[in-house]
Amino acid sequence: MKTAILDARGRVTPASSKSHIIHRFFLTSAGGRLGIDFSYGPKQLEDLEKARTLIERSIDLYFEEETLAQAKAHFKSYLPLNNLITVSVDSPHGHLGAAHRHDPEQFLHVSRHEASPGLVSGDIVPGMWEVTLSLHAIVTDYCEYSLQIWQEEEEAK
């Protein structure tokens, strides 16, 4: 049996870059497997002039004065610019890891016997859980995300 725990959607903007959105939920029963479906989009900034402006701003911040002109002349080597949102999971007993990857669609899971890469397997316990979305970069005018979490019985091992 699969029990829906959380169904959240949101829209973020570049002002949300370098921030976190925490979704908390309470599990009333122990055991089984926790499933997490996460997606966001758009993934890439398609507007070349906006991309150029963002890249040049970053070059101004991170490059030495003597390399600025050369770096700006080769701004296309930094394309494409992508939105990046990653997912981490905390149980009532502590951090279970982070799925720090670029995929705009992710299916993650945690159970006593296995976990998705980046996450640690462990008992699914009752209590307050957290799934944190880390908004590393939002380069498009907006980015929409969808997060679904459920608990289900785990197949016998």
Side-chain angles (χ1 to χ4, degrees):
M1 186 169 98
K2 188 174 175 178
T3 304
I5 304 295
L6 182 114
D7 185 3
R9 296 173 199 290
R11 178 182 263 209
V12 294
T13 67
S16 305
S17 291
K18 300 176 185 163
S19 70
H20 305 280
I21 298 173
I22 299 171
H23 292 275
R24 291 184 175 94
F25 54 96
F26 193 85
L27 285 185
T28 58
S29 61
R33 170 178 147 135
L34 196 65
I36 301 167
D37 265 341
F38 174 67
S39 63
Y40 66 94
K43 179 65 181 168
Q44 293 185 344
L45 175 60
E46 301 293 336
D47 184 320
L48 184 60
E49 280 311 305
K50 283 184 180 178
R52 182 183 190 139
T53 299
L54 291 172
I55 291 167
E56 288 181 350
R57 260 191 236 151
S58 293
I59 289 171
D60 287 339
L61 285 173
Y62 299 110
F63 282 70
E64 299 292 329
E65 183 68 33
E66 58 273 10
T67 61
L68 287 176
Q70 182 181 13
K72 287 181 180 180
H74 300 294
F75 82 95
K76 287 185 178 178
S77 66
Y78 299 101
L79 296 173
L81 290 187
N82 294 307
N83 290 326
L84 178 60
I85 303 174
T86 61
V87 177
S88 61
V89 179
D90 291 272
S91 78
H93 298 302
H95 190 60
L96 294 181
H100 201 270
R101 53 186 67 121
H102 287 265
D103 302 333
E105 293 183 21
Q106 300 178 31
F107 166 72
L108 308 168
H109 66 277
V110 175
S111 74
R112 168 186 267 184
H113 302 291
E114 61 184 12
S116 298
L119 303 177
V120 178
S121 59
D123 289 332
I124 304 302
V125 297
M128 188 62 72
W129 287 67
E130 293 181 354
V131 169
T132 301
L133 305 179
S134 295
L135 289 68
H136 300 273
I138 305 299
V139 295
T140 55
D141 290 341
Y142 65 89
C143 181
E144 295 180 333
Y145 70 86
S146 172
L147 174 69
Q148 286 82 42
I149 300 171
W150 67 91
Q151 185 178 16
E152 64 186 338
E153 294 176 21
E154 186 176 35
E155 294 179 22
K157 296 282 178 187

